[in-house]
Amino acid sequence: IGRSGRAAGAAASMLAHEIKNPLAGIRGAAQLLARGADVGKARFTELIVAEVDRIATLIDQMEHFSRGQPIACEALNLYQPIHQAMEAVRARQLPGIRFSEDFDPSLPLVLGNHDAVVQILQNLLTNASEVLSGRDDGSVRLATAYRHGLSVDNGDGRGRIALPIEVSVSDNGPGVPAEIRGDLFDPFVTTKREGRGLGLALVAKLARDMGGTVQHMRDGEWTRFRVHLPAAKTGQGA
């Protein structure tokens, strides 16, 4: 690692420290509010606490990523991170957008990282919602499926790895401009005026660090992002 790399790493560590301090205050305030909240409001304070914890963990993970340490994976019920991501996006109460779900009820456990899956889905769901902003017929679909025979070779010497677990986010927005489709998952590539182009790059990295992949496609009037992950082996309890 060169001087610029070390400087960037030191800056990232300092930024992580500065972010964690206010997060702790937000978490504590949410817990205080929860003490006197009714059931309806308590779910929002619980969401705040869960999201703060997830962000803090994500910061820790990003620090690990910068040092090249692998992400910790375990057997997961995919619907737990799906539920958390959907709760966070729905809580924004975006007008004109209808969310729908198409889930495979027999999906086996996935080998992955809970917070990483939440981050992936939140990024994809948020992107889909934002491209539909201002429309009154916007639709975002979240689906899961088991894909028999799907495998990839990550070039790490292990040969082809089966990735049968699919979770996809689709929207009926205008789609990705053709000129950037080939570079969509590269850092700093974005169509957003105020964007930084890091969201999809992080999605791709998190999927890759869990041994999976993410793909983009245009299917008729729908833009789809498919995340493929390995299934947990028998005996890898959740």
Side-chain angles (χ1 to χ4, degrees), residues 195-220:
R196 297 293 180 267
L198 295 174
L200 288 177
L202 179 58
V203 165
K205 177 168 179 51
L206 290 173
R208 187 169 60 249
D209 287 347
M210 289 187 288
T213 65
V214 60
Q215 300 172 346
H216 160 266
M217 65 177 295
R218 184 69 176 174
D219 182 10

Side-chain angles (χ1 to χ4, degrees), residues 145-168:
Y146 191 89
R147 303 297 184 190
H148 294 275
L150 181 64
S151 63
V152 297
D153 187 341
N154 290 323
D156 57 4
R158 294 187 297 167
R160 299 196 69 83
I161 304 297
L163 300 177
I165 309 294
E166 177 183 290
V167 56
S168 64

Side-chain angles (χ1 to χ4, degrees), residues 217-224 226:
M217 65 177 295
R218 184 69 176 174
D219 182 10
E221 296 181 354
W222 292 87
T223 296
R224 303 192 193 280
R226 298 182 186 174

Side-chain angles (χ1 to χ4, degrees), residues 74-110:
E74 61 182 355
L76 296 175
N77 178 338
L78 189 60
Y79 296 113
Q80 293 173 348
I82 283 177
H83 175 73
Q84 185 173 332
M86 284 297 295
E87 276 279 288
V89 175
R90 287 183 191 274
R92 297 177 62 184
Q93 298 181 344
L94 299 167
I97 298 177
R98 183 176 65 88
F99 292 95
S100 62
E101 300 169 348
D102 182 12
F103 294 155
D104 180 348
S106 62
L107 205 67
L109 296 179
V110 65

